Amino acid sequence: MRGRETDSAVRRAFCAAAPHTAPIFAGFWFLGLTYGIYMNAAGFSFWYPLGMSLAIFAGSMEFVTVGLLLGAFHPLQAFAMALVMGARHIFYGLSMLERYSGTGWKKGYLIFGMCDESFSINYTAEIPPGVDRGWFFFFVTLLNHFYWVFGATLGGLLGQVIRLDTEGISFVMTAMFVVIFLEQWKKEREHMGALLGVLLPLCCLLLFGAERFLLPAMGAILLALTLLRGRLSKGVRT
């Protein structure tokens, strides 16, 4: 009897969570597809986007990792880049401490799978009465993760089977960061965060040169965003 009750609770949580993730599917599928094709164009088989999307699950970092894999071995630079690009998850995690409490074994996966979209849904969603919140959070995270893995793997397979003209596809990463920058610009009233993201790297480029500016620039951005977090949050349009 208890097993049936558990199965019923899991099904209810899945049915409640799935509609919230439906809009994420189109974006994750298309961007993941692009990432898989990009990996194939760079010379990697479909196993790479499959494995990396499963283990990393950080879209922008996965695009950057392509260049890291093709370039010289700089583990410190790779670590610092991943830290800075994912630093916002520190604040996400602090916001979800209470909401994820009491989720048991699921909490580890919820921490691993926290992306912007899963955070937004799990933080704001009104969970229907009678639905287990731990399973609800779990399925939101799992479904979003699956969408990304599916798109990336499909892109890697299509890149191997179908001969596509991939000239210029490497520009997708640059285009993606331009879009992120424009979105940040639109959200801010004072544009301080966006300007810091441009001016600090330019200063580091002038000071340290093109080959050594990356780590100082990322460190400066992380420090500035941490120190100015209060002011930056007030300047965001709601």
Side-chain angles (χ1 to χ4, degrees), residues 162-180:
I162 304 174
R163 294 294 94 188
L164 299 173
D165 183 6
T166 56
E167 182 179 357
I169 197 172
S170 60
F171 186 72
V172 68
M173 188 172 67
T174 304
M176 181 180 66
F177 283 114
V178 170
V179 172
I180 292 173

Side-chain angles (χ1 to χ4, degrees), residues 27-224:
F28 270 23
W29 182 82
F30 180 76
L31 191 58
L33 188 74
T34 305
Y35 167 66
I37 296 174
Y38 176 44
M39 283 288 287
N40 181 262
F44 297 97
S45 71
F46 80 95
W47 291 107
Y48 281 85
L50 169 60
M52 289 170 62
S53 58
L54 276 170
I56 300 176
F57 190 38
S60 54
M61 189 61 210
E62 288 180 48
F63 277 96
V64 171
T65 304
V66 179
L68 295 176
L69 290 173
L70 294 174
F73 181 61
H74 291 297
L76 181 59
Q77 177 178 317
F79 171 78
M81 185 177 296
L83 178 63
V84 172
M85 294 185 70
R88 66 189 183 281
H89 291 86
I90 296 174
F91 307 111
Y92 289 175
L94 293 174
S95 302
M96 299 300 286
L97 279 175
E98 182 178 351
R99 201 152 173 82
Y100 280 172
S101 63
T103 54
W105 61 266
K106 307 176 193 68
K107 190 173 184 178
Y109 179 69
L110 294 175
I111 294 171
F112 162 77
M114 185 185 293
C115 60
D116 297 357
E117 292 77 10
S118 296
F119 167 78
S120 299
I121 295 173
N122 285 338
Y123 187 76
T124 61
E126 295 184 4
I127 302 175
V131 173
D132 182 273
R133 64 186 186 89
W135 280 112
F136 179 89
F137 296 150
F138 176 81
F139 282 122
V140 166
T141 306
L142 181 66
L143 287 169
N144 286 340
H145 192 183
F146 169 74
Y147 300 152
W148 178 256
V149 173
F150 174 68
T153 305
L154 182 61
L157 289 170
L158 287 177
Q160 289 184 334
V161 176
I162 304 174
R163 294 294 94 188
L164 299 173
D165 183 6
T166 56
E167 182 179 357
I169 197 172
S170 60
F171 186 72
V172 68
M173 188 172 67
T174 304
M176 181 180 66
F177 283 114
V178 170
V179 172
I180 292 173
F181 174 83
L182 293 175
E183 285 295 320
Q184 184 68 25
W185 185 272
K186 288 167 61 179
K187 290 179 181 179
E188 290 184 334
R189 286 191 294 264
E190 300 179 0
H191 307 301
M192 180 182 292
L195 292 174
L196 284 173
V198 173
L199 295 177
L200 289 176
L202 285 177
C203 292
C204 291
L205 178 63
L206 295 174
L207 289 172
F208 300 101
E211 295 184 356
R212 296 183 177 87
F213 86 100
L214 191 57
L215 288 180
M218 290 188 296
I221 291 173
L222 179 59
L223 180 62

